Amino acid sequence: MTITATAPLDRIIADRLQAALSPTRLSVSNDSAQHRGHMGDDGTGETHFSVDVESAAFTGLSRVARQRLVNQALADLLASRIHALAIRARAPGES
């Protein structure tokens, strides 16, 4: 499995998704610098993220159901620290 994460909140996101979904691939990107000064930017540099996650847990699920699983794993962070989260969720073997 490959995990890519650099900033502290990136690591928390990666750890949560690892625990909840046992991904075969996981990449967490901090996109906050691209949104500096925009709505939701609190100045921390940790408000906007993208995740690319591949997990067998997504097999047979719709896109919405997959996103719900990711959102459940990060619920408290989405309520308090993450303003925006882009999700790419797929099952093994999907492109």
Side-chain angles (χ1 to χ4, degrees):
M1 184 213 16
T2 304
I3 295 179
T4 305
T6 55
L9 190 51
D10 293 13
R11 182 80 249 159
I12 294 168
I13 292 168
D15 289 347
R16 296 272 187 94
L17 294 177
Q18 174 62 38
L21 301 170
S22 300
T24 51
R25 177 175 287 185
L26 175 60
S27 176
V28 179
S29 300
N30 184 339
D31 304 327
S32 301
Q34 299 169 9
H35 301 278
R36 189 170 289 126
H38 297 173
M39 182 184 294
D41 174 28
D42 64 5
T44 65
E46 293 189 317
T47 54
H48 295 71
F49 293 88
S50 297
V51 296
D52 184 348
V53 57
E54 176 183 278
S55 173
F58 298 139
T59 301
L61 297 181
S62 69
R63 182 182 56 84
V64 172
R66 293 172 183 196
Q67 290 183 350
R68 284 184 182 140
L69 287 178
V70 171
N71 288 340
Q72 287 171 357
L74 305 175
D76 63 316
L77 298 174
L78 289 164
S80 61
R81 297 179 65 186
I82 299 171
H83 173 73
L85 181 66
I87 301 169
R88 180 172 185 231
R90 62 192 184 288
E94 295 178 347
S95 54

